[in-house]
Amino acid sequence: MDLDLRKLRYFVAVAEELHFGRAAERLHIAQPVLSRQIRSLEDELGAEVFDRGRRGTLLTPAGKQLLEDAVPLLASAQALVRRVKSSAQGRRSLTIGFMPGITVTPAMIAFTALHPDVNVRLLRTTWEDQVAVLLDGRADVGIVRLPIDRQGLEVRPLFQEPRVVMVPVGHRLADRRSVTVEDLAAEHLLQDPNAVPEWRDVALELRSGERPEVPVIHQVEEKLELVAAGAGICVLPLSTATFYTRPDVIPLPVDDLGPNEVALAWVAARRSPLIRDFAEAAADTLAQAHDGERKPSAD
């Protein structure tokens, strides 16, 4: 059976809206047409993907599985079209996604020495989109901070680096040489607790059930502004904290906090020699560049 990507796009729209009318408006098609296309998709799959009952439109177990698989499949298809068009125009390029605080320059120099004709582009990413840019083709390869969802990706570890806690000047812990996770138990974390499981396991605000809602923060600068204002603390990789040095925020080593792991990632189905060559260049240069990194001075 050959899947119709157009029907998959229709399905994803309904699955995200959970409403045929809104999905039809979003797709700029008539609702009866959309309903027929979804019925046709269900016939092809031999399974109902939506439960159309009194409670409205809901995903069936088969629908949930289809949504999980359809999103990366559609993103890969879109990326394929972009790469083919670029190749047809005679351009060879490599786009590298990278997280804040990570220096990509040594790998770029090594790669361009091998491929001086390739246009190398950089794309700054965040915790929220470092995988998405790979799946939708905006980046060919990414230098990512783990953990990530590895489904559909090839991941190659590069190096580890310490994490530090950022506190405002004047904080009760600011004059300490280092702290422990237990010292941070009473603090408010300006991050998803799952990003710092060591803190999550001792956090008083989680035990009491009184943790205030934390808005999604996309940029490091936003986190540090909130830390400086006394709204809470955040935990950052050492290189990120060093890159965003500012006088009103202090980085403190945390003795029992695990390191952040940095890795290369790309879509496993991609067989591009350029990706492989960049991966080798990064493995040879970036890990070596970080071997000599020291923890922040407590003086």
Side-chain angles (χ1 to χ4, degrees):
M1 179 190 70
D2 295 326
L3 277 176
D4 186 331
L5 294 183
R6 181 186 58 178
K7 292 176 183 175
L8 275 185
R9 285 194 293 271
Y10 289 173
F11 161 76
V12 170
V14 179
E16 291 178 346
E17 298 289 347
L18 290 179
H19 191 282
F20 275 80
R22 289 195 298 269
E25 290 180 8
R26 170 174 154 183
L27 294 165
H28 305 293
I29 62 174
Q31 183 173 335
V33 173
L34 177 59
S35 297
R36 285 197 299 270
Q37 292 295 320
I38 296 299
R39 285 294 188 191
S40 176
L41 176 63
E42 290 176 322
D43 290 342
E44 292 172 5
L45 294 172
E48 290 191 351
V49 295
F50 291 112
D51 178 5
R52 306 162 177 84
R54 291 184 177 180
R55 295 178 297 167
T57 302
L58 300 174
L59 284 166
T60 65
K64 292 178 181 178
Q65 182 62 58
L66 181 60
L67 180 61
E68 180 179 332
D69 293 333
V71 171
L73 177 61
L74 289 172
S76 295
Q78 292 169 353
L80 181 149
V81 171
R82 283 196 293 269
R83 289 193 295 270
V84 170
K85 288 182 177 179
S86 178
S87 178
Q89 295 169 358
R91 299 196 308 262
R92 288 214 307 167
S93 65
L94 184 77
T95 301
I96 305 161
F98 71 100
M99 288 287 285
I102 298 175
T103 301
V104 190
T105 307
M108 287 182 60
I109 293 173
F111 176 79
T112 54
L114 291 174
H115 298 283
D117 59 322
V118 174
N119 182 19
V120 179
R121 303 168 182 167
L122 293 177
L123 176 65
R124 186 177 183 272
T125 61
T126 68
W127 283 103
E128 287 74 26
D129 69 2
Q130 59 177 341
V131 169
V133 299
L134 299 173
L135 296 178
D136 66 19
R138 280 177 285 166
D140 299 296
V141 61
I143 302 174
V144 300
R145 294 193 184 277
L146 303 181
I148 60 171
D149 182 354
R150 300 185 180 216
Q151 182 177 1
L153 299 178
E154 185 164 338
V155 178
R156 179 181 297 187
L158 284 176
F159 59 87
Q160 296 181 334
E161 63 171 316
R163 291 187 292 170
V164 295
V165 62
M166 310 300 292
V167 301
V169 169
H171 189 275
R172 62 184 179 86
L173 300 172
D175 60 350
R176 297 274 293 271
R177 296 178 63 88
S178 66
V179 297
T180 66
V181 173
E182 190 67 38
D183 292 329
L184 306 173
E187 300 293 329
H188 173 53
L189 186 72
L190 297 167
Q191 291 162 269
D192 180 349
N194 292 326
V196 192
E198 299 93 338
W199 175 88
R200 178 197 61 200
D201 294 340
V202 301
L204 298 183
E205 66 179 31
L206 294 181
R207 292 181 182 180
S208 67
E210 297 178 355
R211 175 172 167 79
E213 183 178 352
V214 179
V216 176
I217 304 172
H218 297 288
Q219 303 294 333
V220 176
E221 295 92 336
E222 294 177 57
K223 290 180 182 177
L224 295 182
E225 284 291 339
L226 291 171
V227 171
I233 62 170
C234 72
V235 172
L236 298 176
L238 174 57
S239 61
T240 305
T242 302
F243 185 81
Y244 288 97
T245 299
R246 50 186 291 168
D248 51 0
V249 174
I250 297 174
L252 292 175
V254 186
D255 295 332
D256 48 352
L257 191 64
N260 175 243
E261 297 182 65
V262 176
L264 280 167
W266 63 92
V267 173
R270 297 284 308 276
R271 296 288 183 260
S272 168
L274 295 182
I275 292 177
R276 297 290 173 175
D277 286 350
F278 179 79
E280 292 300 323
D284 291 343
T285 59
L286 298 189
Q288 186 179 51
H290 284 77
D291 280 346
E293 278 197 355
R294 299 177 300 170
K295 292 185 178 181
S297 172
D299 296 334

